[in-house]
Amino acid sequence: MLSKEQIQSIRQDFPYLSKEWDRDIVYLDSAATTQKPRQVLEAVEGYYKFENANPHRGAHYLGQKATEVYEDGRQVVADFIGAKANEVVFTNNTTQSINTLAYVLGLNTLKEGDEIVITILEHHSNLIPWQFVAEKTKAKLKYIYIDKETKALKEEDLENQITEKTKILAMTQSSNTTGTLVDVKKMIKKAREKSKDIKTIIDGAQYIPHHKLNVKDLDCDFYAFSGHKMLAPMGIGVLYGKEEALNNLPPFFYGGEMIEYVYEDRATFLKAPMRFEAGTQNVGGVKGLTEAIKYLDSIGMEEIAAYEESLTQYAYDKVKDLDFLDLYTTREDKKGSVITFNLKEIHPHDVASILDTYGLAIRSGHHCTQPLHRYLGLNASCRASFAFYNTQEEVDRFIAHLDDVRRMMGLGSK
Ligand code: PLP
């Protein structure tokens, strides 16, 4: 497991966490977006300084360089997730990856009577696109719910909700709110037994920054994630799709670089991934994502997972007996790197604002999971989320200042 010394040395790579910045911040909001190491920042700067050109177009040196950066990046992403390079489509983020599928798969293939199954854990970006598809195609949108105690998906819903009419199963692999880790591999297998032409879509936004992933092992048809939650810049994301599944879909955006031949009245299109990458792409973002993956790989995803698991458990053990807290995360099973809670009778925004005065950054609100909050009888909650650059000392500060919030707001304690 990563030692304290290793973590301290890792922290020096992050300007925000290092002594370079004179504000003393405990950043517990990595589920929203991670901080960026200098290796990523320098790579992006280096790209714009010395490699910048429009990829796939220029025959000149820089044009070739930019194409190399872009396509080498695609190979790095493919290796990281166990895919082939032509199965990696660059997008802006998870939201765009899922919307692409909602339009080109959902709108094009579903009809009245078909079913889309999602879970109540979904982030709005894997929920509203399917509401939209259901409304347009008259397909039925169905949910798999969670057990309110364990926050795990209900076994009976797993059995009953997916039927031979289910054409799309879209689900998160790790909840950004409860931290629930979903055994998507098992669900994909079960779903295929029930419905032979089902397409499976995994929202990996909160999984891939923390765990080793192999899409071939999961056997999902599609997998979506965002670079900015895994050390890369904002504005770069990925849609993985099985080669055949991608090539069976029509393009989403139309324009430059996704075409084969264009005539006055018609055009033919390239195969995936290019057919889904119309217009000038975010090569600087790909450079940043490439460097972020190299950085994560240099530490090792198994090491990262083990360290975060123990750090989150450490935090959980400290908060679980605080009688002024309601917890919405459990650790009975393995869970993600988040702890979600409320201080009884105190609005989450007040909690977050008071913690901010002590230099603690947590998230408050509905975390883009309003249906999940409503299902749990909540309007909003507080969320502390951890990354491998956080420390036990930071967790201790977080707990100590939670107690300050309690005292300030006149709440009792054991
Ligand atoms: N899915 C999950 C589980 C998330 O936590 C998030 C963001 O928090 C998203 C999707 C959307 O990610 P993005 O805003 O990068 O598209």
Side-chain angles (χ1 to χ4, degrees):
M1 185 146 66
L2 294 168
S3 66
K4 280 190 172 176
E5 293 70 38
Q6 278 172 299
I7 299 298
Q8 283 312 324
S9 140
I10 284 169
R11 285 171 70 84
Q12 293 313 306
D13 288 335
F14 290 77
Y16 191 89
L17 304 169
S18 73
K19 302 267 177 292
E20 201 177 297
W21 201 35
D22 60 1
R23 280 195 74 189
D24 185 17
I25 297 280
V26 176
Y27 186 73
L28 301 181
D29 199 15
S30 294
T33 197
T34 57
Q35 294 307 322
K36 323 297 176 199
R38 70 180 78 250
Q39 289 84 341
V40 168
L41 304 173
E42 284 165 9
V44 176
E45 191 184 349
Y47 166 74
Y48 280 111
K49 276 181 173 167
F50 306 118
E51 297 173 315
N52 176 52
N54 210 317
H56 300 128
R57 286 159 170 87
H60 52 77
Y61 169 78
L62 277 178
Q64 284 168 18
K65 195 78 209 150
T67 307
E68 241 171 67
V69 167
Y70 193 68
E71 293 303 330
D72 288 355
R74 201 191 300 279
Q75 187 62 56
V76 168
V77 173
D79 292 343
F80 189 63
I81 64 172
K84 292 186 284 182
N86 63 354
E87 296 175 317
V88 171
V89 176
F90 287 119
T91 63
N92 293 337
N93 47 36
T94 309
T95 304
Q96 195 198 330
S97 300
I98 295 172
N99 272 275
T100 301
L101 293 174
Y103 276 84
V104 300
L105 174 70
L107 291 188
N108 277 317
T109 61
L110 296 196
K111 55 179 187 335
E112 191 164 0
D114 289 340
E115 294 172 354
I116 305 164
V117 173
I118 63 174
T119 83
I120 194 66
L121 294 170
E122 301 316 315
H123 187 280
H124 294 162
S125 65
N126 193 33
L127 190 156
I128 306 172
W130 303 116
Q131 285 181 344
F132 164 73
V133 171
E135 191 194 318
K136 290 280 176 212
T137 62
K138 307 229 170 2
K140 191 171 172 193
L141 181 61
K142 292 166 72 178
Y143 284 81
I144 294 173
Y145 291 91
I146 55 169
D147 179 293
K148 288 186 181 168
E149 279 304 305
T150 65
K151 313 292 187 288
L153 294 179
K154 282 186 180 172
E155 283 298 325
E156 67 263 33
D157 283 3
L158 291 178
E159 283 306 325
N160 300 333
Q161 294 298 74
I162 302 168
T163 71
E164 71 283 353
K165 293 187 198 153
T166 312
K167 295 291 182 287
I168 290 177
L169 171 65
M171 62 195 160
T172 186
Q173 195 171 10
S174 179
S175 159
N176 68 328
T177 302
T178 59
T180 306
L181 291 180
V182 177
D183 186 347
V184 293
K185 184 176 173 178
K186 184 175 106 187
M187 285 182 66
I188 290 166
K189 192 160 175 282
K190 199 182 270 272
R192 292 228 173 88
E193 282 161 14
K194 297 205 173 215
S195 173
K196 66 175 169 28
D197 32 69
I198 195 166
K199 289 282 178 276
T200 54
I201 300 166
I202 308 300
D203 170 355
Q206 296 293 345
Y207 188 86
I208 193 165
H210 308 285
H211 305 270
K212 190 157 182 60
L213 171 75
N214 185 307
V215 287
K216 295 293 171 196
D217 181 51
L218 293 187
D219 198 25
C220 55
D221 294 296
F222 302 101
Y223 195 99
F225 59 95
S226 301
H228 71 93
K229 294 185 193 288
M230 50 188 291
L231 315 182
M234 293 185 179
I236 186 70
V238 170
L239 170 62
Y240 155 82
K242 283 183 178 170
E243 185 178 357
E244 198 191 337
L246 283 175
N247 284 318
N248 280 340
L249 294 173
F252 180 28
F253 290 129
Y254 294 82
E257 285 309 299
M258 44 78 74
I259 50 86
E260 246 172 1
Y261 300 106
V262 183
Y263 308 92
E264 283 193 27
D265 59 344
R266 76 202 137 85
T268 57
F269 307 114
L270 291 172
K271 288 194 161 190
M274 299 284 285
R275 87 163 45 183
F276 298 107
E277 294 178 355
T280 301
Q281 296 296 303
N282 182 359
V283 187
V286 170
K287 180 83 186 192
L289 179 58
T290 305
E291 209 51 43
I293 289 176
K294 287 183 180 165
Y295 189 89
L296 291 169
D297 266 342
S298 73
I299 302 172
M301 291 312 293
E302 276 105 349
E303 294 282 327
I304 287 175
Y307 176 78
E308 287 183 358
E309 168 66 23
S310 93
L311 187 69
T312 312
Q313 189 65 47
Y314 177 80
Y316 183 76
D317 288 341
K318 297 225 158 194
V319 294
K320 73 173 189 305
D321 295 326
L322 299 176
D323 62 357
F324 57 92
L325 281 195
D326 287 328
L327 270 178
Y328 312 117
T329 307
T330 65
R331 309 266 321 152
E332 282 158 36
D333 227 348
K334 280 207 164 174
K335 294 284 193 295
S337 307
V338 301
I339 291 186
T340 303
F341 60 92
N342 272 328
L343 263 68
K344 290 186 195 303
E345 296 149 39
I346 304 177
H347 196 282
H349 289 334
D350 290 338
V351 176
S353 302
I354 297 173
L355 287 177
D356 181 56
T357 63
Y358 295 107
L360 268 137
I362 65 154
R363 174 89 181 259
S364 59
H366 53 63
H367 322 310
C368 299
T369 56
Q370 278 187 14
L372 174 60
H373 272 77
R374 206 168 290 118
Y375 177 74
L376 294 173
L378 305 170
N379 286 322
S381 57
C382 301
R383 180 186 72 190
S385 56
F386 307 97
F388 60 91
Y389 45 62
N390 290 122
T391 63
Q392 286 195 353
E393 291 69 36
E394 289 183 321
V395 170
D396 293 341
R397 268 178 73 182
F398 163 57
I399 307 294
H401 292 309
L402 272 182
D403 202 57
D404 288 333
V405 180
R406 175 195 66 75
R407 274 192 295 106
M408 207 176 278
M409 301 303 281
L411 269 183
S413 172
K414 270 184 194 163

